[in-house]
Amino acid sequence: MTNLLNGIIILVGCAMVLYHLVSTQFVLWSTNHHIIAHLGFALTLIFLSTARKIQNKNWIPLVLTFMVGGIAVTSYMLIRYPHLELSIGFIREPIDWVVGILLVILVIEACREAWGIIFPTLAIIAILYFSFGHYLPYPFRTTNFPDDYILSNLGMGFKGILGTTLEVSANYMFLFIIFGALLGIAGSPRFFIEISKLPSRLLAGGAAQTAVVSSALVGMVTGQSISNVVLTGSFTIPFMKKAGYTPEQAGAIEATASTGGQVMPPVMGVAVFLMASLLGVHYIEIALASFYPAFLYFLSIAFSVQIIAYKNRLKSPKESLDMGEVVRWGPLFLIPLGVIFSLLLLRYTPMYAAFWAIMTVIGVSLFRKETRMPFMKLARGFGDGAVEASKIGISLAVIGIVVQTFHATGLGVTIAQLVESMSGGYLVVALLLSMVLALILGCGLPTIAAYAIVAIVIVPVMVKMGVSPLSGHLFVFWFAIVSAVTPPVAFAAMAGAAIAKADFWKTGVEAFKLAISGFLVPWVIIVWPSVTLQSQPLGQVLTGIIALPMALLALSIVMYNHFFVRIYLWERVLFILVLSLFTGFFITKVYAFFIPAVILEATLIIWQRKRWKARERFEPVMGSSPYPG
């Protein structure tokens, strides 16, 4: 039975991939038809994958019945599309009622099987609010909506389940997820792993820098955190432990670096495609705006792991770089990445860019015998990738229920007014509320869900208070991401701890410290828009390029109470003063803060390096040093 289900999943997955590839080159039918077909494929694959892994075989017929129901419902909607289009806003025929109710039930059940109970619970609460909100007291009381209006908004009227969020999955995300899966089976990770060995030959913290580099490279094309941890951590974590990092440090470094994959252009996390849709801008504009913030995030991690290496006096094992491996496997990563970037810069659609990136991977792999993918390996890769993409798609369908409830009932406006009232008109309070909400939601929901809810409810409040729409959305997006390394849940840290065989709580705390820049960069995006390529005077742009890395370095030094050597109390106080001066500069843009901060930090760095050199000269002769650390 399992083998039969595996074969069917591969067949359906390949059909789904082929359908989406063809749809990028030819207009097959309307957007709504395309979304319905996408949902039909997703429901089929999720129920099939559930049947494949189910333990109690007695439940398999029920799950397969759900699958048949999903095919029947979406087929009916495709066949009866002209009739349903004329019935938007009200439902009269009994068969439409049956199909509409089944659509909601099947989507919620598929989401439960793919993601657990939290998503479905949110959807059910939204439906109950839509149906019975008129019984609630002010300000949450709603209009007493007719039942057919509710069902139309939930899905049958091509809103809710079949709304904007699922359209993002069908038109943007799916092929990029397939592209990432294809790179994995083609062998590109061998290039990531090989090229990331270079830092270990140059820096004391090179073993950890290997994790930072490899996770950034993988994150460019996968846009995932946990899968990134699993893919690169199997190599980097043992390497870091061998170099002398504790299991908790190794797991935390990998988790934190992998989490940054969601902010690393050109692909980034899947939530960015939803952001582009909500903002009404081309995806490449968000990707370009995210380059420098992503660089700052990874730079801060690099600072921290280097300080840990100095603090623990680690000497990295010298891993030899096999240039032959780089030459053999590099084109599989670099050429498709160049294709994506070029086409996006030329303003082609993300779907079109993803199509040619996939074709390029397959084409480049054919040039060498060792990189050629056998047909069945390629088919399995398409099948597995389609299943993962379907899980994300079904989560977006359920998010659509929540989003449409916010819109149709006015709940979004109500909550926005409450947030504005609670903030007292102060932007910083509104930002704090959105930060906390994104972090809390991100602990239990995928990034895209946490981002969508907060972006729809609170970002309009930020914009009303003077924040640019792009800055507001990126602010929320970042906090939804760093929740992956924020205790008490910290899913990415959990994965890193499992591979490192480390204590989860200690790993989570270490990851939180390493990711501190992820909590600061969003605030910088608000107060210093030039980091996202938004217009500012040239002087502010140049000083920001200098001040931001220096501020992040000072923060890492204060966090670990160490730089080249352990810092004295008076040095710590001065580094805190440096941070205060830079903060004042970012907020006020007054150069009287910037110049003393730069001079003071440069002086402290020179002093630290002198102490380190003195220790290095003294210890080989005397066996100890008068300098602490």
Side-chain angles (χ1 to χ4, degrees):
M1 186 65 173
T2 302
N3 289 335
L4 175 62
L5 289 172
N6 283 335
I8 296 173
I9 287 172
I10 291 172
L11 185 63
V12 175
C14 288
M16 188 177 187
V17 172
L18 181 61
Y19 163 73
H20 280 80
L21 288 172
V22 172
S23 68
T24 66
Q25 305 300 307
F26 304 98
V27 179
L28 301 178
W29 44 20
S30 72
T31 298
N32 284 335
H33 282 93
H34 178 58
I35 296 171
I36 295 167
H38 179 75
L39 178 62
F41 275 119
L43 288 170
T44 302
L45 284 173
I46 288 172
F47 288 128
L48 281 171
S49 63
T50 299
R52 175 176 60 179
K53 66 185 179 184
I54 201 166
Q55 296 296 320
N56 188 345
K57 303 302 180 184
N58 294 327
W59 289 101
I60 291 180
L62 178 61
V63 175
L64 294 180
T65 301
F66 287 149
M67 180 197 73
V68 173
I71 295 172
V73 165
T74 51
S75 297
Y76 175 85
M77 296 187 74
L78 288 172
I79 294 169
R80 296 272 286 169
Y81 178 77
H83 159 73
L84 295 175
E85 192 175 31
L86 292 173
S87 303
I88 291 175
F90 59 90
I91 298 173
R92 293 292 180 262
E93 295 188 14
I95 184 65
D96 294 343
W97 277 96
V98 172
V99 170
I101 293 170
L102 280 176
L103 173 67
V104 174
I105 292 172
L106 290 170
V107 166
I108 290 176
E109 171 58 20
C111 189
R112 186 195 66 80
E113 293 178 8
W115 295 99
I117 197 64
I118 296 178
F119 261 150
T121 301
L122 283 175
I124 291 169
I125 291 172
I127 293 170
L128 290 174
Y129 180 77
F130 211 152
S131 302
F132 304 107
H134 56 283
Y135 291 115
L136 295 176
Y138 179 84
F140 296 104
R141 184 185 300 118
T142 68
T143 301
N144 187 359
F145 297 107
D147 292 339
D148 57 345
Y149 176 81
I150 294 172
L151 191 57
S152 180
N153 272 274
L154 292 179
M156 289 300 284
F158 308 107
K159 298 176 182 177
I161 289 170
L162 298 171
T164 302
T165 53
L166 187 59
E167 181 184 355
V168 170
S169 173
N171 286 342
Y172 298 97
M173 297 180 189
F174 181 82
L175 287 181
F176 274 101
I177 294 170
I178 298 301
F179 170 62
L182 187 60
L183 279 179
I185 64 173
S188 286
R190 295 178 66 171
F191 166 74
F192 303 147
I193 290 170
E194 202 61 43
I195 199 69
S196 64
K197 291 178 182 177
L198 186 61
S200 70
R201 304 185 62 81
L202 304 175
L203 300 167
Q209 304 295 4
T210 294
V212 176
V213 173
S214 61
S215 296
L217 290 172
V218 173
M220 280 182 178
V221 292
T222 64
Q224 303 292 320
S225 55
I226 296 176
S227 60
N228 201 342
V229 172
V230 174
L231 181 61
T232 60
S234 58
F235 163 76
T236 61
I237 288 175
F239 187 35
M240 285 187 278
K241 290 170 69 176
K242 180 181 176 183
Y245 291 91
T246 66
E248 287 75 21
Q249 288 172 340
I253 291 167
E254 178 56 48
T256 309
S258 292
T259 297
Q262 294 188 74
V263 297
M264 190 67 188
V267 177
M268 306 175 67
V270 291
V272 173
F273 298 103
L274 178 59
M275 188 190 303
S277 177
L278 294 175
L279 285 170
V281 300
H282 195 282
Y283 165 77
I284 192 62
E285 293 183 31
I286 300 175
L288 291 172
S290 297
F291 258 115
Y292 194 55
F295 168 75
L296 291 173
Y297 178 82
F298 282 102
L299 181 66
S300 177
I301 299 172
F303 285 152
S304 294
V305 298
Q306 194 65 21
I307 289 171
I308 292 172
Y310 286 133
K311 189 172 184 177
N312 297 338
R313 302 196 186 187
L314 302 181
K315 302 292 183 182
S316 289
K318 302 299 182 183
E319 288 284 318
S320 58
L321 179 65
D322 188 341
M323 287 304 300
E325 285 281 282
V326 173
V327 172
R328 282 192 294 273
W329 299 99
L332 277 172
F333 170 69
L334 297 174
I335 296 177
L337 192 67
V339 168
I340 286 179
F341 230 157
S342 299
L343 291 175
L344 289 177
L345 285 172
L346 292 171
R347 301 289 170 167
Y348 286 97
T349 66
M351 287 188 301
Y352 187 82
F355 170 86
W356 285 110
I358 290 170
M359 294 298 103
T360 303
V361 172
I362 295 172
V364 172
S365 70
L366 296 175
F367 281 91
R368 301 182 66 90
K369 182 179 180 181
E370 58 188 336
T371 61
R372 288 176 198 146
M373 294 174 282
F375 176 77
M376 281 310 299
K377 184 177 181 181
L378 182 63
R380 288 193 192 96
F382 281 156
D384 292 341
V387 169
E388 293 305 311
S390 295
K391 290 179 180 178
I392 293 174
I394 212 68
S395 71
L396 287 170
V398 171
I399 291 171
I401 293 175
V402 179
V403 169
Q404 187 59 25
T405 299
F406 276 111
H407 282 308
T409 64
L411 179 61
V413 175
T414 300
I415 295 177
Q417 289 173 343
L418 288 173
V419 170
E420 188 174 3
S421 176
M422 290 171 62
S423 68
Y426 292 101
L427 176 60
V428 67
V429 179
L431 293 172
L432 284 170
L433 288 171
S434 64
M435 176 187 77
V436 172
L437 183 57
L439 288 172
I440 291 173
L441 289 174
C443 285
L445 299 174
T447 298
I448 191 164
Y451 159 73
I453 292 172
V454 183
I456 290 166
V457 173
I458 299 184
V459 168
V461 178
M462 298 185 199
V463 173
K464 189 176 178 181
M465 292 181 173
V467 175
S468 73
L470 177 60
S471 295
H473 280 269
L474 286 174
F475 182 87
V476 172
F477 176 61
W478 270 75
F479 282 114
I481 287 171
V482 296
S483 63
V485 288
T486 305
V489 180
F491 287 119
M494 192 181 297
I499 296 174
K501 297 180 174 59
D503 179 86
F504 164 66
W505 285 104
K506 292 180 180 177
T507 304
V509 171
E510 286 289 338
F512 180 79
K513 288 170 63 178
L514 283 162
I516 194 66
S517 63
F519 293 86
L520 294 180
V521 169
W523 292 90
V524 172
I525 289 172
I526 296 293
V527 302
W528 207 262
S530 64
V531 299
T532 55
L533 304 182
Q534 297 180 63
S535 179
Q536 272 193 307
L538 180 60
Q540 291 183 15
V541 173
L542 296 177
T543 51
I545 291 173
I546 298 170
L548 287 166
M550 293 188 72
L552 290 173
L553 175 58
L555 178 62
S556 295
I557 293 169
V558 171
M559 287 283 293
Y560 289 95
N561 199 34
H562 205 282
F563 188 28
F564 291 109
V565 294
R566 183 166 62 85
I567 62 177
Y568 295 121
L569 177 59
W570 65 265
E571 290 177 287
R572 187 183 182 91
V573 171
L574 290 178
F575 273 115
I576 292 173
L577 176 60
V578 167
L579 279 172
S580 301
L581 290 169
F582 276 130
T583 301
F585 173 60
F586 295 138
I587 294 172
T588 66
K589 300 178 177 60
V590 174
Y591 289 93
F593 290 106
F594 170 75
I595 296 171
V598 171
I599 294 173
L600 181 56
E601 182 168 355
T603 304
L604 288 168
I605 290 171
I606 293 169
W607 165 248
Q608 271 276 308
R609 185 166 179 81
K610 282 184 63 177
R611 288 179 56 201
W612 178 61
K613 288 290 186 183
R615 187 190 70 184
E616 294 296 300
R617 286 195 304 269
F618 194 86
E619 284 188 346
V621 178
M622 304 299 296
S624 62
S625 170
Y627 294 96

